[in-house]
Amino acid sequence: MLSVAEVFGSTLRRVRRQQGLTQKQLGTLTNTSHTFIGEMERGMKAPNLQLVVALANALSISIEELVAGLTPARDEQIAPPLT
């Protein structure tokens, strides 16, 4: 089973390539390094919410499109909603 980071990274790589951007170009657009972009695409690192928003904006897609297909793994704890 793929981790959330791996699924996100796969989507990020697919969309970036569809748009003809290099990792370096996407890094410049999002004010992050191309090495971090690569690490995210390989599922080694996960972005924070601010970077998810920046990535979606740079790729001209919705956040929903960027995180589509993500579900937490069984062993990942999800905090209950605040009431």
Side-chain angles (χ1 to χ4, degrees):
M1 174 182 233
L2 294 176
S3 72
V4 170
E6 290 169 323
V7 174
F8 178 84
S10 177
T11 302
L12 178 61
R13 177 182 290 124
R14 178 180 48 78
V15 173
R16 177 185 60 77
R17 286 180 174 172
Q18 285 174 343
Q19 295 194 13
L21 293 172
T22 65
Q23 290 177 346
K24 186 172 184 175
Q25 289 169 322
L26 184 56
T28 299
L29 291 171
T30 58
N31 199 31
T32 192
S33 71
H34 68 280
T35 54
F36 191 73
I37 298 292
E39 290 171 334
M40 285 189 294
E41 289 184 354
R42 291 189 302 279
M44 298 169 61
K45 301 278 182 162
N48 63 26
L49 185 55
Q50 184 178 357
L51 184 51
V52 171
V53 171
L55 288 164
N57 287 336
L59 295 167
S60 299
I61 62 172
S62 69
I63 294 169
E64 291 81 8
E65 289 175 277
L66 191 55
V67 300
L70 295 184
T71 55
R74 284 186 163 171
D75 59 345
E76 292 184 54
Q77 295 293 322
I78 302 297
L82 297 176
T83 56

